[in-house]
Amino acid sequence: MVKRVAIIGAGISGLASIRCCLEEGLEPTCFERSNEVGGLWEFSDHSEEGRASIYKSVFTNSSKEMMCFPDFPYPDNYPNYMHQSKVQEYIKTFAQKKNLLRYIQFETLVTSIKKCPNFLITGQWEIVSEKDEKQESTIFDAVMICSGHHVYPNLPTDSFPGLDRFQGHYLHSRDYKGPEVYKGKRVLVIGLGNSGCDIAVELSRLVTQVIISTRSGSWVMSRVWDDGYPWDMLYVTRFASFLRNALPSFVSDWLYVKKMNTWFKHENYGLMPLNSTLRKEPVFNDELPSRILCGAVSIKPSVKEFTETSATFEDGTVFEAIDYVIFATGYSYAYPFLDDSIIKSRNNEVTLFKDIFPPFLEKPTLAVIGLVQSLGAAIPTADLQARWVVKVFANSCILPTTNEMIDDIEEKMGKKLKWFGQSQTLQTDYITYMDELGSFIGAKPNIPWLFLTDPQLALEVYFGPCSPYQFRLMGPGKWDGARNAILTQWDRTLKPTRTRAVSEAKRPQPFYNLLKILLFPVLLLAVLLAFY
């Protein structure tokens, strides 16, 4: 019987894990190498080895109603998209209100996690931790790894011929903290992800010239969606998810590309993805198209080679007199304290059942929280992952056999390759994934039952945002305030924007949008009949 649980990291995944252990009657001990909670969201003006690092100007890509702990809404006066300092403030408040700080050993580094000699019988782990240069070894019944995946930078210097001769400076985006030191310089940013675009846009106001080099392009979305509402409050809905999965792929792909091009035509800006129908995570940047229009940012293809002072691109053009190259090339998935074979058990790829459990472990007493990527927010995902994991630890839920887990991984991998592409194997469809986890513990919303017993709530749950509160609406861990939080989520969304109230607040009309969607096939049928 699992009782003592080691938790590695006190970011959002670690805090969710501590809280869930307590809810299940387990005894958590969290090891955090820094002196503060928050993980990625805790800003530091310098990057440290083995710690996540962000730049000062980071804002969230998920809106506040979609990225909260499911029983702990943000204050209604918080902006919908928050500066990192606001998120960190919220995380600290959550840790204090839930009385989680007492279970965290700060400034403590975990150096080793190994199976105990009797692991086949007990499933126990030996954790070696270090504080003040003193090491301590402790036995735990289970381990939850919550150290995140924005820690070890991927710096592919071998992929760029001539970089060793380059006389300017180059660095990874994790070492970028602000634009001041680049004033008046000429900067090349490699990578068209969220970090690369944020950095290029910020630099474009101070530098002489900034160019983004991209290998495959990307869709660029605004945080401001139809009628000015937050994008995820309209896009991440159960009804929209149903349509995306139910429609024939050619129709779904056509609608997806059309929607992505609604704001601006990506091909005219050099941004069009090579495979336009893949559902890879888009870039969220409200200013990039404008900066391209103004000539402040330019988009170029891959770098063919570097010289001492310049870069030649695949199209033959040259960027001369470069002062800085910033590699916004993502991160590697590394757990230096753990034997690689436990998590990367096949072709050096991460192989986890439901992106959480290593399928080949003889005892299911180790889990990875927060590694999965989706268009949904990390906080509610980590919360639901941790709720399932602690029930597995406590024998309230039983995992399938190893062969069944492998079969599931293979099946899901095939779908992921089709939807997201080879480089995005940790990405998943948010609502499908959350419902799957919720069904394991009885927390998946029962939509038909809601329509029979509470139609007002059912309409908001199905056609409105798939907000985190839905997964604390019923079942174990139910929160009594979930119904009210769902029915008032648009009030909290609109409050910070209506600082000058000129009329009654306008909420979205899902049925009107539904009618527009249903009219499309009717019109298509009418056109086809007209030609016959």
Side-chain angles (χ1 to χ4, degrees), residues 244-313:
R244 286 192 291 271
N245 289 293
L247 289 172
S249 58
F250 74 93
V251 176
S252 177
D253 290 346
W254 180 81
L255 288 172
Y256 178 73
V257 172
K258 184 174 176 59
K259 187 62 181 177
M260 290 295 110
N261 265 326
T262 301
W263 186 22
F264 68 95
K265 301 298 182 187
H266 283 65
E267 57 267 36
N268 294 343
Y269 287 68
L271 296 166
M272 175 66 86
L274 289 180
N275 191 332
S276 59
T277 60
L278 286 181
R279 271 50 164 192
K280 292 197 300 184
E281 182 181 1
V283 169
F284 293 92
N285 197 294
D286 300 282
E287 298 179 74
L288 180 61
S290 172
R291 302 309 289 166
I292 294 173
L293 269 182
C294 296
V297 175
S298 300
I299 307 296
K300 285 290 183 180
S302 294
V303 173
K304 185 177 180 181
E305 64 176 344
F306 283 95
T307 69
E308 286 83 356
T309 59
S310 66
T312 302
F313 301 103

Side-chain angles (χ1 to χ4, degrees), residues 326-401:
I326 299 176
F327 286 89
T329 45
Y331 293 82
S332 302
Y333 308 105
Y335 301 95
F337 45 74
L338 187 69
D339 188 332
D340 258 1
S341 65
I342 292 175
I343 290 177
K344 296 182 179 181
S345 55
R346 186 182 54 182
N347 300 328
N348 204 35
E349 293 179 351
V350 173
T351 309
L352 299 170
F353 178 60
K354 305 304 180 190
D355 299 299
I356 299 174
F357 286 103
F360 295 106
L361 270 184
E362 299 86 351
K363 296 282 186 178
T365 56
L366 182 140
V368 181
I369 307 295
L371 183 60
V372 69
Q373 294 171 292
S374 74
L375 277 183
I379 291 179
T381 304
D383 182 77
L384 198 49
Q385 287 181 324
R387 288 169 68 190
W388 178 41
V389 165
V390 296
K391 288 189 176 299
V392 172
F393 287 169
N395 288 330
S396 301
C397 292
I398 307 298
L399 293 184
T401 66

Side-chain angles (χ1 to χ4, degrees), residues 6-8 31 110-116 124-129 142-145 335-339 342 365-366:
I7 297 168
I8 317 303
F31 299 96
V110 171
T111 59
S112 172
I113 300 176
K114 292 182 178 178
K115 296 177 182 177
C116 287
Q124 291 181 325
W125 300 83
E126 180 188 11
I127 309 288
V128 178
S129 59
V143 179
M144 300 173 80
I145 298 176
Y335 301 95
F337 45 74
L338 187 69
D339 188 332
I342 292 175
T365 56
L366 182 140

Side-chain angles (χ1 to χ4, degrees), residues 98-173:
K98 299 297 183 180
N99 198 23
L100 306 181
L101 298 177
R102 59 187 292 190
Y103 301 98
I104 305 172
Q105 296 185 12
F106 290 105
E107 298 182 334
T108 304
L109 173 67
V110 171
T111 59
S112 172
I113 300 176
K114 292 182 178 178
K115 296 177 182 177
C116 287
N118 59 351
F119 181 84
L120 290 176
I121 299 170
T122 65
Q124 291 181 325
W125 300 83
E126 180 188 11
I127 309 288
V128 178
S129 59
E130 184 177 300
K131 182 173 184 177
D132 299 329
E133 298 183 353
K134 295 179 181 178
Q135 286 197 341
E136 182 178 350
S137 176
T138 314
I139 304 299
F140 287 92
D141 300 310
V143 179
M144 300 173 80
I145 298 176
C146 306
S147 53
H149 55 268
H150 294 95
V151 176
Y152 301 98
N154 173 38
L155 194 59
T157 53
D158 294 341
S159 301
F160 295 91
L163 186 61
D164 57 335
R165 304 197 309 271
F166 179 63
Q167 295 176 356
H169 304 278
Y170 68 86
L171 64 149
H172 191 272
S173 56

Side-chain angles (χ1 to χ4, degrees), residues 34-216:
S34 74
N35 60 2
E36 189 55 90
V37 299
L40 178 69
W41 296 102
E42 173 64 15
F43 174 76
S44 171
D45 57 9
H46 62 280
S47 56
E48 298 177 29
E49 181 67 27
R51 279 194 63 195
S53 178
I54 55 174
Y55 38 98
K56 195 166 189 175
S57 58
V58 164
F59 278 80
T60 63
N61 292 330
S62 296
S63 60
K64 65 176 182 179
E65 290 301 302
M66 301 296 279
M67 66 171 293
C68 61
F69 285 98
D71 58 344
F72 199 76
Y74 286 87
D76 57 5
N77 63 341
Y78 267 41
N80 283 285
Y81 296 105
M82 295 163 289
H83 185 252
Q84 48 86 12
S85 60
K86 282 286 187 188
V87 181
Q88 177 64 359
E89 186 179 297
Y90 167 82
I91 292 170
K92 283 182 173 181
T93 303
F94 175 80
Q96 291 164 357
K97 294 280 188 182
K98 299 297 183 180
N99 198 23
L100 306 181
L101 298 177
R102 59 187 292 190
Y103 301 98
I104 305 172
Q105 296 185 12
F106 290 105
E107 298 182 334
T108 304
L109 173 67
V110 171
T111 59
S112 172
I113 300 176
K114 292 182 178 178
K115 296 177 182 177
C116 287
N118 59 351
F119 181 84
L120 290 176
I121 299 170
T122 65
Q124 291 181 325
W125 300 83
E126 180 188 11
I127 309 288
V128 178
S129 59
E130 184 177 300
K131 182 173 184 177
D132 299 329
E133 298 183 353
K134 295 179 181 178
Q135 286 197 341
E136 182 178 350
S137 176
T138 314
I139 304 299
F140 287 92
D141 300 310
V143 179
M144 300 173 80
I145 298 176
C146 306
S147 53
H149 55 268
H150 294 95
V151 176
Y152 301 98
N154 173 38
L155 194 59
T157 53
D158 294 341
S159 301
F160 295 91
L163 186 61
D164 57 335
R165 304 197 309 271
F166 179 63
Q167 295 176 356
H169 304 278
Y170 68 86
L171 64 149
H172 191 272
S173 56
R174 81 183 302 269
D175 297 313
Y176 174 88
K177 293 298 176 181
E180 295 78 15
V181 298
Y182 304 91
K183 185 176 182 180
K185 305 297 183 183
R186 293 165 63 83
V187 182
L188 172 62
V189 177
I190 295 179
L192 190 68
N194 283 297
S195 295
C197 291
D198 280 353
I199 290 169
V201 165
E202 185 170 62
L203 289 175
S204 68
R205 299 183 179 86
L206 287 177
V207 301
T208 301
Q209 187 175 7
V210 58
I211 287 177
I212 300 176
S213 166
T214 176
R215 181 178 57 189
S216 57

